[in-house]
């Protein structure tokens, strides 16, 4: 089975499973102070924790990692795929290739929490060098380290995706759907950094919206890339 065909079959299930995990994350937030009872020997609170995108090393974070990996695979089609009518510049192809590699690395980071660990390390270093600086050891300092690079890479990828979409037939519905998916990514993914900052400033429920924006933004990028690949039979 071709990679493009496999991803096409996974697209709809990934969407509904994404909605499921977003819902369970909000449920976990609103019920976090509730008294839980065991039913049939099952610890319902622990089960809900496993379905919470905010937690680390859970089923939810594993699935989130799969969304990043699927996005990487869809970008692999654009970065390395070839067909008679898929004509792009070397720069465009290089950007898609680098974006695919970046999404793959982010997939690993979702499981390993590398950015948060680095943020905590950087926070401790700041405290050591500047004792009077109030820094919380929660890993939020990953943002000044990685956010500019990540945002620049994403916007570059989005720019070249928009250029490729513009080459689709103007009356083709797939063109409009590709623009819609890219717009979803353009709204959600930069919004992750804003929501992360609000969470740092004391917002509680913003962490739920942040995880929802991240997973739907990456899904939008996945669908956009997949629609382009389908148009050109990559």
């Amino acid at each position: 089975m071709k990679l493009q065909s496999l991803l096409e079959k996974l697209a709809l299930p990934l969407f509904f499973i994404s909605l499921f995990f977003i819902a369970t994350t909000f449920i976990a937030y609103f019920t976090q102070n509730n008294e839980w009872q065991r039913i049939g020997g099952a610890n319902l609170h622990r089960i809900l924790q496993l379905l919470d995108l905010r937690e680390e090393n859970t089923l939810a974070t594993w699935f989130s990692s799969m969304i990043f990996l699927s996005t990487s695979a869809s970008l692999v089609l654009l970065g390395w795929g070839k067909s008679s009518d898929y004509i792009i510049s070397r720069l465009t192809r290089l950007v898609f290739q680098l974006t695919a590699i970046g999404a793959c690395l982010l997939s690993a980071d979702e499981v390993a929490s590398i950015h948060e660990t680095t943020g905590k390390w950087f926070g401790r270093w700041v405290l050591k060098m500047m004792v009077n600086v109030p820094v919380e050891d929660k890993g939020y300092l990953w943002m000044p380290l990685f956010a500019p690079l990540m945002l620049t890479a994403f916007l570059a990828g989005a720019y070249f995706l928009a250029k490729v979409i513009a080459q689709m037939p103007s009356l083709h519905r797939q063109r409009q759907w590709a623009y819609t998916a890219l717009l979803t990514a353009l709204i959600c993914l930069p919004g992750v950094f804003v929501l992360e900052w609000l969470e740092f400033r004391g917002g509680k429920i913003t962490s739920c919206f942040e995880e929802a924006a991240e997973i739907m933004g990456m899904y939008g990028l996945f669908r956009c890339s997949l629609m382009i690949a389908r148009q050109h039979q990559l």
Side-chain angles (χ1 to χ4, degrees), residues 49-209:
Q49 280 184 321
L50 292 173
L51 305 178
D52 189 345
L53 290 165
R54 299 171 301 163
E55 300 289 338
E56 303 297 332
N57 303 315
T58 65
L59 181 62
T61 53
W62 171 81
F63 174 76
S64 180
S65 174
M66 291 301 100
I67 290 290
F68 279 88
L69 191 60
S70 298
T71 302
S72 175
S74 67
L75 287 163
V76 163
L77 294 173
L78 304 186
W80 282 272
K82 294 180 180 180
S83 70
S84 59
D85 64 338
Y86 185 59
I87 303 172
I88 57 175
S89 67
R90 289 185 178 181
L91 178 60
T92 301
R93 190 175 291 277
L94 177 62
V95 169
F96 289 157
Q97 291 172 349
L98 292 176
T99 309
I101 293 171
C104 186
L105 293 175
L106 288 174
S107 174
D109 178 71
E110 279 294 292
V111 176
S113 303
I114 298 170
H115 70 287
E116 291 179 347
T117 301
T118 305
K120 291 178 181 179
W121 171 83
F122 183 58
R124 289 192 290 269
W125 180 82
V126 170
L127 283 174
K128 183 178 180 180
M129 300 301 292
M130 296 174 282
V131 180
N132 295 325
V133 176
V135 178
E136 296 186 19
D137 189 25
K138 294 184 179 180
Y140 291 110
L141 284 180
W142 70 265
M143 290 186 65
L145 290 174
F146 299 120
L149 176 62
M150 294 168 65
L151 190 57
T152 300
F154 165 68
L155 291 177
Y159 170 76
F160 285 103
L161 282 171
K163 288 186 65 175
V164 175
I165 294 171
Q167 297 173 4
M168 291 183 178
S170 59
L171 299 178
H172 203 299
R173 287 190 62 187
Q174 195 159 293
R175 181 185 186 184
Q176 283 70 46
W177 282 113
Y179 273 130
T180 301
L182 181 59
L183 180 61
T184 300
L186 281 168
I187 293 172
C188 291
L189 292 179
V192 169
F193 301 112
V194 177
L195 292 166
E196 182 85 7
W197 181 80
L198 290 174
E199 183 184 354
F200 171 70
R201 299 290 294 175
K204 299 298 182 181
I205 196 172
T206 52
S207 61
C208 299
F209 285 104

